[in-house]
Amino acid sequence: MPATPKRRKGTVPFGSYETWYQVTGDLSSGRPALVAVHGGPGSTHDYLRNLSELAEHTGPVVLYDQLGNGGSTHLPDKGPDFWTPDLFADELANLLEKLGIADNYVLFGQSWGGLLVTKFAAERPAGLRGLVIANAPASYPLWLQEAARLRAELPPGVNETLLRHEAAGTTDTEEYHAAMRPFYEKHVCRLKPWPRDYLASFYEVYNDPTVYYAMNGPSEFHVVGTLKDWSVVDHCPKVAVPTLIISGRHDEATPATVQPFHDLIPDNRWEIFEESSHLPHLEEPELFQKVMREFLEGVSVSL
């Protein structure tokens, strides 16, 4: 049996702040490092932990917490103007440089992370070998359009309760949080009970919701933050590396929100996980690992 890949954790400086990271495997192996960019914005790496299992087969895996959450510097006093996609793109570039992998890596972006890595890849950085866009919309206007449709299909009375609280500005109440649950159970994570890694990230967001509230809003489907009009559709044709697109059949990132990636990125393949919603890596882990290994091995062979 192959040796279990070594794991190390640490932080790198990002200006006057710190970015927390974890590396599984050997960054000097010559194989592209898979760098996982988590969702939110304002979530943490925790729910993506099982991506580290790929290190045994396809090369090193890097997880990190984006600024404002998890093990990275928390900045609860920063206002919405501080939290921008450019900030997080700069943080990603800094991490790649500080870890010494800017010349050989693959990006995996999940949910909000999928938009961020698309923006990043559109700049055509020299060391980027491949791109995975997982469970991400190409634009937030599309996301909101589809969220309205999915909300209307919830059990009777649920959307009415959500709308009432959103109109009144009482989205921090127990009743609103309870009414969120049917949407999350249908379109975010269909596993019962919810996996520990997912819950860890879920609780991290609510322990410090600074980033999530500023950029997104009070819930997955009520985006009223600074991202509400943001789109990466115009960036898609500029992506110049092999791209794997992932979504779930029951995903809140519906086919309509994902379609621009498939239509506009020149070299892509779209894999839909039939038994999954927003987290196929947790909902169908064996198939997910197989799909990812095939993609990463193909990227390595093409180098």
Side-chain angles (χ1 to χ4, degrees):
M1 293 179 63
T4 302
K6 292 183 179 180
R7 180 170 294 172
R8 65 182 173 93
K9 303 174 183 179
T11 61
V12 298
F14 173 47
S16 58
Y17 312 124
E18 298 282 334
T19 300
W20 180 94
Y21 71 87
Q22 173 187 287
V23 175
T24 304
D26 182 4
L27 293 180
S28 63
S29 67
R31 306 184 85 174
L34 177 68
V35 180
V37 182
H38 65 66
S43 187
T44 60
H45 77 285
D46 299 87
Y47 77 102
L48 295 177
R49 278 179 184 147
N50 73 355
L51 268 68
S52 296
E53 296 170 16
L54 290 163
E56 191 170 329
H57 307 283
T58 60
V61 176
V62 178
L63 305 178
Y64 75 102
D65 287 335
Q66 293 162 27
L67 190 66
N69 286 85
S72 296
T73 304
H74 288 235
L75 297 162
D77 296 328
K78 294 292 187 182
D81 290 348
F82 178 81
W83 304 106
T84 65
D86 285 342
L87 171 74
F88 291 105
D90 290 345
E91 182 186 30
L92 175 56
N94 178 75
L95 178 70
L96 297 170
E97 180 185 348
K98 292 292 197 300
L99 292 181
I101 56 175
D103 61 346
N104 192 26
Y105 62 97
V106 174
L107 289 177
F108 174 97
Q110 203 276 337
S111 197
W112 132 263
L115 289 93
L116 184 60
V117 299
T118 302
K119 168 185 166 61
F120 195 91
E123 298 296 324
R124 301 191 175 183
L128 181 62
R129 306 302 182 206
L131 186 67
V132 183
I133 301 169
N135 317 100
S139 85
Y140 280 95
L142 272 177
W143 177 269
L144 286 167
Q145 175 184 306
E146 286 294 282
R149 181 177 65 80
L150 296 178
R151 288 171 57 148
E153 297 171 358
L154 293 172
V158 173
N159 197 33
E160 289 75 10
T161 300
L162 294 169
L163 290 168
R164 175 163 46 82
H165 283 287
E166 288 162 4
T170 52
T171 55
D172 58 348
T173 60
E174 288 290 331
E175 188 178 36
Y176 185 79
H177 289 161
M180 287 165 49
R181 185 89 187 196
F183 184 97
Y184 280 61
E185 290 178 343
K186 188 174 182 182
H187 299 299
V188 182
C189 184
R190 293 167 68 83
L191 297 176
K192 294 181 180 180
W194 281 345
R196 181 179 299 176
D197 288 350
Y198 171 61
L199 285 171
S201 284
F202 195 85
Y203 291 133
E204 286 275 7
V205 173
Y206 285 96
N207 285 338
D208 185 353
T210 305
V211 183
Y212 190 74
Y213 284 2
M215 298 183 77
N216 188 84
S219 67
E220 291 291 285
F221 45 75
H222 187 50
V223 181
V224 292
T226 57
L227 291 180
K228 66 180 184 298
D229 299 316
W230 192 50
S231 169
V232 294
V233 171
D234 290 345
H235 292 299
C236 291
K238 304 171 191 172
V239 175
V241 293
T243 300
L244 172 64
I245 301 165
I246 288 172
S247 66
R249 180 62 66 190
H250 310 281
D251 206 329
E252 58 180 339
T254 65
T257 72
V258 178
Q259 193 69 45
F261 293 127
H262 186 53
D263 291 344
L264 298 172
I265 293 175
D267 179 7
N268 79 80
R269 178 169 70 87
W270 186 359
E271 187 82 26
I272 298 176
F273 288 73
E274 295 295 335
E275 303 302 322
S276 294
S277 55
H278 199 51
L279 305 171
H281 65 285
L282 295 175
E283 294 167 289
E284 295 181 75
E286 291 182 6
L287 179 58
F288 175 85
Q289 292 277 330
K290 177 177 180 290
V291 168
M292 285 293 296
R293 284 175 62 176
E294 289 173 354
F295 176 74
L296 293 170
E297 287 162 2
V299 168
S300 293
V301 166
S302 68
L303 295 179

